[in-house]
Amino acid sequence: NVADGKVVQVAHDIQETTDVLPDGKHATEIDRSAYDWGTMFGRPYEDVWVIDVKTGQRTKALEKVRYFYGPSPSGKKLAWYDGTNYWSYDIATGAKTNLSAAAKTNLADPDWDTPGDMVPPEGNAGWTKDERAFLAYDTYDVWSFSADGKTATRLTDGAPSGVVHRVLRLGSADDGVDLTAPVYLSLNGRLTKQSGFGRLTSGKAATVEARKKHELAPAGSTQ
C-alpha cells in the first residue's frame, strides 16, 4: 500500500490461485487443501477466501465449491454453480443469492455420462455489464437471471427447433455482456449438426416484449 508504506501478504499458499478483483480492494484465493482425496478421484472441490488487500484480513466466502466463476465486472460479487442452481456472493455483505431459483428449466448437461457426485452445468456467459443479471444456458437457450434471484427470463427460443443458442464473447469477458447493444450468438442444430450465427437485438434484457424483437438466424445460415 503506497499511501501508508505497508506491505500486506495477500496469498496464503503459493500453490493455489490468487486473483486481485476488479475493484482493486479485494482478492480471492482458492484453497483445495481440505479436498485432496476428492481431487484424486475426480471429485474436486475448493474453498474460496476473500482477502482485503489493505489489511490482509481473510474471510472464507465459499465452502466446498466445484464450479466457481470468479467476480462480476465491478468485483463486488462472486458467482458459482452448486449442481442445480447458480448463486452469487456479495463481498460487502456476505449475502448469498440463488440466482436461478425462478428458472423452470434444467441447467445441467444432459449428455454428461461420467459417474460422479455432481453433473456439470451446460455453461454460462457470466454477468451482464450492468450486473443486473447473470446469463446462463440450458440445453438449447440463453437465460437471464436477475441479480436478486426473483426473475428468470428465457432470451432465445431454440428448444422448439432443436437449435442450441450460445453467446459469442467478442470482447473481454471481464467487462460483462452488454445487453443494450447487439449480442451475437452461435447457433447449432442439436440433431441436424447444421450451424450458423444469430444476433440478439432486444435492446433491454429480461422482458417478453424484447424477445419478440430477437433476430435469430436458423441453423445453417447467417443473419
Side-chain angles (χ1 to χ4, degrees):
N1 294 301
V2 176
D4 53 19
K6 294 181 179 180
V7 174
V8 177
Q9 180 177 337
V10 176
H12 180 73
D13 188 336
I14 197 172
Q15 300 297 327
E16 297 289 6
T17 300
T18 303
D19 294 305
V20 176
L21 303 187
D23 65 358
K25 298 178 181 179
H26 298 92
T28 57
E29 183 176 25
I30 302 303
D31 180 8
R32 297 168 292 179
S33 60
Y35 311 106
D36 289 343
W37 187 91
T39 301
M40 288 175 60
F41 295 99
R43 299 183 180 187
Y45 286 102
E46 59 194 29
D47 297 334
V48 180
W49 291 79
V50 172
I51 303 101
D52 185 316
V53 299
K54 186 174 183 178
T55 66
Q57 179 179 348
R58 299 167 58 84
T59 302
K60 184 185 285 189
L62 307 177
E63 192 169 21
K64 201 176 182 181
V65 171
R66 177 155 318 165
Y67 300 103
F68 174 58
Y69 300 109
S72 60
S74 70
K76 296 179 179 179
K77 298 178 184 291
L78 305 176
W80 79 100
Y81 179 77
D82 70 356
T84 303
N85 288 295
Y86 285 92
W87 291 74
S88 72
Y89 174 87
D90 188 295
I91 290 177
T93 66
K96 296 178 181 179
T97 302
N98 187 336
L99 296 172
S100 56
K104 306 299 182 182
T105 189
N106 180 18
L107 300 170
D109 182 354
D111 296 326
W112 186 257
D113 59 359
T114 302
D117 61 338
M118 186 181 296
V119 177
E122 273 284 357
N124 66 80
W127 292 94
T128 57
K129 186 176 182 177
D130 58 12
E131 298 188 17
R132 296 177 62 183
F134 188 87
L135 306 183
Y137 310 133
D138 64 8
T139 303
Y140 294 102
D141 290 303
V142 181
W143 285 76
S144 173
F145 306 137
S146 63
D148 60 9
K150 294 181 178 180
T151 61
T153 304
R154 183 164 52 86
L155 298 180
T156 58
D157 194 25
S161 56
V163 177
V164 179
H165 294 63
R166 298 293 183 256
V167 174
L168 287 174
R169 301 303 298 270
L170 303 178
S172 171
D174 295 339
D175 295 335
V177 179
D178 186 359
L179 289 180
T180 65
V183 176
Y184 291 91
L185 307 167
S186 66
L187 307 177
N188 292 278
R190 188 170 168 82
L191 297 180
T192 67
K193 305 305 178 184
Q194 291 181 303
S195 63
F197 299 93
R199 187 176 58 184
L200 190 68
T201 56
S202 59
K204 293 184 179 180
T207 65
V208 174
E209 292 75 14
R211 287 208 307 272
K212 295 178 181 178
K213 299 177 183 178
H214 293 174
E215 300 173 9
L216 297 176
S221 63
T222 302
Q223 180 168 329

